[in-house]
Amino acid sequence: MFPGCIRSACKTNILSKKTLGVFLKNTYASEATFETKPCRLHKLDQSPSTTVTLTKEDAIKLYTQLHTIRRMETSAGNLYKDKTIRGFCHLYSGQEAVAVGIKAALRPHDGVITAYRAHGWSYLMGVSPVGVLAELCGRQQGCARGKGGSMHMYSENFYGGNGIVGAQVPLGVGIALAAKYKGTDGVCVALYGDGAANQGQVFEVYNMAKLWNIPCIFVCENNGYGMGTSSARAAADTNFYSRGDYVPGLWVDGMDVLAVRECFRYAVEYCGQGKGPLVIEAATYRYSGHSMSDPGTSYRTRDEIQEVRQTRDPITSFKEKIISSNLVTAEEIKKIDGEIRAIVDDATKKSLADQEIGLDELPADIYCNNLEGKIRNIDPFTHLAHKRVGPAVNAQ
């Protein structure tokens, strides 16, 4: 329905299609402002702004990233069910707004390290959909030549994908310490889940990071369940953002990409100014089970999952925001969806058609600087020759 002013004008002067088209085009905004949920604070006096401005360009970029991750994870789930992907596979569906929002706030020289739910982060940090899906399939076009699989993907300033629960958090503090040692204002985002939040090594590096004012942003992605156990049954204190005690913290709505982006703009500036670490809890939700071996319905109901999908889905809610605010049209969204579908489908086909590496390449790229000569084999009597195939992207 057109505004009353157009209806009145049309009674006396019939607008040409060209004129009407220009008028309608001009009713769409180049930017819009939204209100987000306020962050909860621990030992902080200032809070990130709840008034967020979004440009049309950024809206399209964020939506494209959100939807691409969802589409890739859907393809990965299907490839696993077809037994093309073997071993462990942890999907990120439902949690996309956390990664996309954080990435939107980072600078090129900031580092990221996460746990084993790493497919989306790999894509955001520069790995193509083919590089992600081929790696999952164990093929040579994968970002680790098919040797890393689901939990071990890497790119510049992205340090994985780590399979040991909680072990990436101390490594993240080390990466942040390196940034401080080099004299940059870089930070490192170290992500872990609510299950890993109870690991002793996490508390050890809270202390170390605060003691030395290391620019590490600890991020607990609280999706409500550590494997098959709800956080309420596993943690005496479920306020993960205040778990650092002497480390300041924030709680953010991890289902709202704009709230996450604003929170991490604040966090990056805070840590980059030499004020030390922060602990951030991003409240989110995963739709799939913990891994592909977990149906995800033995410890929660299907109704619970469906309710989150219908009321809090990070992609659907963001899409509704940007359409209702006239930043994008439904036709533009439909076009973007089609382009993403084609890219991921093509990446899936290329991954399936790709080859595995040869046996001679298995001991390749183990070291950046090999000081051991031959590489140990499965027995002490025979050795393997080390060789360099790809670049050591983070050897700086």
Side-chain angles (χ1 to χ4, degrees):
M1 181 178 290
F2 298 135
C5 59
I6 294 183
R7 293 201 303 271
S8 300
C10 289
K11 290 180 180 178
T12 53
N13 299 298
I14 303 300
L15 299 176
S16 68
K17 289 184 179 179
K18 182 177 180 181
T19 304
L20 187 58
V22 170
F23 182 90
L24 291 174
K25 183 178 179 181
N26 289 337
T27 63
Y28 286 95
S30 59
E31 67 177 35
T33 302
F34 303 94
E35 290 295 320
T36 63
K37 286 183 183 178
C39 290
R40 301 172 197 162
L41 305 182
H42 171 67
K43 294 199 172 181
L44 288 169
D45 297 324
Q46 291 184 316
S47 173
S49 175
T50 56
T51 302
V52 181
T53 301
L54 182 68
T55 66
K56 179 182 177 72
E57 181 182 1
D58 285 345
I60 290 173
K61 181 179 180 180
L62 294 175
Y63 179 79
T64 300
Q65 291 176 334
L66 289 166
H67 194 71
T68 300
I69 295 173
R70 179 71 59 87
R71 192 81 192 179
M72 280 172 36
E73 294 295 59
T74 300
S75 179
N78 292 334
L79 289 169
Y80 193 94
K81 292 170 185 175
D82 291 340
K83 298 184 179 180
T84 302
I85 297 174
R86 301 299 182 100
F88 293 102
C89 185
H90 305 82
L91 303 182
Y92 204 58
S93 301
Q95 300 183 211
E96 298 93 344
V98 178
V100 173
I102 294 174
K103 182 61 173 71
L106 297 182
R107 292 85 48 93
H109 57 290
D110 293 323
V112 176
I113 189 167
T114 189
Y116 34 72
R117 214 175 294 280
H119 312 157
W121 265 113
S122 301
Y123 159 70
L124 292 174
M125 295 300 285
V127 180
S128 68
V130 175
V132 173
L133 292 172
E135 186 61 39
L136 286 166
C137 295
R139 309 301 166 89
Q140 59 187 2
Q141 286 190 77
C143 61
R145 301 284 291 169
K147 296 193 292 182
S150 174
M151 299 189 287
H152 304 102
M153 301 184 189
Y154 310 93
S155 64
E156 186 174 358
N157 289 328
F158 179 58
Y159 299 84
N162 292 267
I164 300 174
V165 176
Q168 74 279 5
V169 185
L171 298 179
V173 175
I175 295 164
L177 176 61
K180 181 175 181 176
Y181 184 80
K182 292 176 181 178
T184 74
D185 67 342
V187 305
C188 182
V189 176
L191 300 107
Y192 55 97
D194 50 284
N198 296 320
Q199 288 274 321
Q201 58 191 327
V202 174
F203 291 91
E204 287 184 56
V205 289
Y206 283 168
N207 178 66
M208 188 179 294
K210 183 60 179 175
L211 187 65
W212 296 341
N213 276 337
I214 295 174
C216 184
I217 304 175
F218 299 98
V219 183
C220 176
E221 291 186 270
N222 181 7
N223 61 26
Y225 299 94
M227 296 188 72
T229 306
S230 70
S231 57
R233 293 179 58 218
D237 180 7
T238 56
N239 292 318
F240 296 99
Y241 68 100
S242 63
R243 283 280 197 95
D245 188 15
Y246 38 76
V247 180
L250 303 97
W251 175 98
V252 66
D253 179 6
M255 301 298 270
D256 183 347
V257 67
L258 296 181
V260 175
R261 186 188 69 171
E262 202 65 24
C263 175
F264 278 84
R265 282 177 171 173
Y266 171 94
V268 169
E269 182 180 2
Y270 179 97
C271 293
Q273 291 176 347
K275 295 180 180 179
L278 286 172
V279 176
I280 298 179
E281 175 187 349
T284 185
Y285 196 85
R286 59 169 164 81
Y287 295 146
S288 303
H290 171 73
S291 66
M292 292 301 293
S293 61
D294 169 23
T297 53
S298 59
Y299 47 86
R300 58 182 181 175
T301 64
R302 295 183 186 275
D303 290 341
E304 176 186 308
I305 302 169
Q306 192 61 27
E307 182 184 0
V308 176
R309 282 186 179 274
Q310 293 174 351
T311 61
R312 296 172 54 211
D313 183 78
I315 301 176
T316 302
S317 59
F318 183 67
K319 178 172 69 174
E320 291 172 353
K321 281 181 182 178
I322 59 179
I323 290 177
S324 63
S325 62
N326 291 329
L327 277 176
V328 297
T329 66
E331 288 73 22
E332 286 176 306
I333 290 293
K334 185 177 180 180
K335 181 182 177 183
I336 293 169
D337 290 350
E339 290 171 349
I340 293 171
R341 185 184 304 111
I343 290 171
V344 175
D345 287 351
D346 182 61
T348 304
K349 291 177 183 177
K350 287 180 178 177
S351 300
L352 290 170
D354 198 17
Q355 300 296 313
E356 296 179 358
I357 60 171
L359 292 176
D360 64 310
E361 198 178 316
L362 288 177
D365 295 331
I366 293 175
Y367 297 108
C368 170
N369 181 21
N370 181 24
L371 301 176
E372 294 198 5
K374 297 288 186 177
I375 303 300
R376 288 175 295 167
N377 202 347
I378 57 174
D379 64 69
F381 307 108
T382 58
H383 295 82
L384 302 170
H386 184 271
K387 65 179 180 179
R388 172 60 61 80
V389 175
V393 293
N394 287 311
Q396 302 170 2

